[in-house]
Amino acid sequence: VTDASMAGQLVDVRPEGILKCVDGRGSDNTRMGGPKMPGGIYAIAHNRGVTSIEGLKQITKEVASKGHVPSVHGDHSSDMLGCGFFKLWVTGRFDDMGYPRPQFDADQGANAVENAGGVIEMHHGSHAEKVVYINLVENKTLEPDEDDQRFIVDGWAAGKFGLDVPKFLIAAAATVEMLGGPKKAKIVIPSISPAQIAEALQGRGWDAEIVTDASMA
């Protein structure tokens, strides 16, 4: 789906909004408008293979330096193990995908994030997500609605933090699968494509070609 068709739902990312988990449940958080990644900032550590408390603290500070409020979450039934992504990671469910387990538990991770300037969010209610939104429109996000739940994955944010984007998206999909979520995705893309831009320039006599970020590494 295009950003134009999502005009009533896509919102600008705001610096006061927390970089939060993709979880679609209700929350005690009121600082909305931040990017969504599995487990909040745990997604960054997971993708990079960072497993230490010190490494997690450095990621917390990095997220803040890039204009976002770092966070992780728990829930009202399982405390800090209420984050399904972290529970899968710490219990080895990602072992067969080559991700090393964290060297800290849920409480230690939350304390490290909070001590480094991050925010702890607490969710409530049961999972009832019907769809996964994968948003590729830069600096835009969607907001969770506990009465009409959906997983929200801001794929563009993975690029902002220099992550391996395909691995990030596959890990996000695996997370939804292992949590028993829906195998249904809506991929939100910009209304104008690179091909349309190249064609417009070529129409004016330009030599315009599309290159990938990998080719520009």
Side-chain angles (χ1 to χ4, degrees):
V1 295
T2 65
D3 55 353
S5 70
M6 298 289 293
Q9 300 183 62
L10 277 177
V11 298
D12 291 333
V13 167
R14 298 192 297 271
E16 67 271 19
I18 66 170
L19 190 157
K20 66 184 262 59
C21 186
V22 304
D23 194 316
R25 294 178 293 170
S27 167
D28 65 355
N29 169 55
T30 59
R31 301 169 70 175
M32 294 297 183
K36 318 293 187 296
M37 305 174 82
I41 70 164
Y42 284 142
I44 301 172
H46 181 261
N47 190 271
R48 293 176 178 171
V50 173
T51 61
S52 69
I53 282 289
E54 187 55 39
L56 185 63
K57 289 179 180 178
Q58 291 303 315
I59 288 171
T60 303
K61 294 173 183 176
E62 175 190 353
V63 169
S65 74
K66 291 188 175 178
H68 303 293
V69 180
S71 83
V72 296
H73 82 91
D75 70 18
H76 290 110
S77 63
S78 302
D79 203 37
M80 292 316 301
L81 264 182
C83 175
F85 177 80
F86 183 81
K87 186 173 182 178
L88 293 170
W89 186 22
V90 77
T91 57
R93 297 292 299 278
F94 290 108
D95 286 2
D96 61 354
M97 296 176 67
Y99 292 99
R101 302 184 196 186
Q103 299 169 12
F104 48 86
D105 62 26
D107 290 331
Q108 291 169 333
N111 288 336
V113 170
E114 192 168 33
N115 290 337
V119 171
I120 306 303
E121 178 186 31
M122 296 302 286
H123 289 184
H124 56 258
S126 301
H127 282 286
E129 291 89 351
K130 305 179 186 70
V131 65
V132 181
Y133 278 91
I134 299 172
N135 173 38
L136 303 179
V137 183
E138 191 171 357
N139 295 321
K140 297 281 188 178
T141 191
L142 296 95
E143 293 297 2
D145 179 352
E146 62 182 304
D147 298 318
D148 186 16
Q149 291 185 27
R150 57 203 178 172
F151 289 108
I152 301 163
V153 181
D154 284 316
W156 63 266
K160 180 171 184 175
F161 289 97
L163 305 187
D164 183 319
V165 178
K167 282 182 64 178
F168 170 84
L169 294 174
I170 290 169
T175 299
V176 172
E177 293 167 11
M178 288 189 281
L179 293 177
K183 288 187 177 182
K184 179 181 180 181
K186 292 188 177 183
I187 303 168
V188 187
I189 61 172
S191 298
I192 188 167
S193 70
Q196 289 173 303
I197 297 170
E199 184 178 352
L201 292 171
Q202 289 162 356
R204 296 183 63 83
W206 287 48
D207 178 9
E209 63 176 316
I210 298 168
V211 296
T212 66
D213 54 353
S215 71
M216 299 290 290

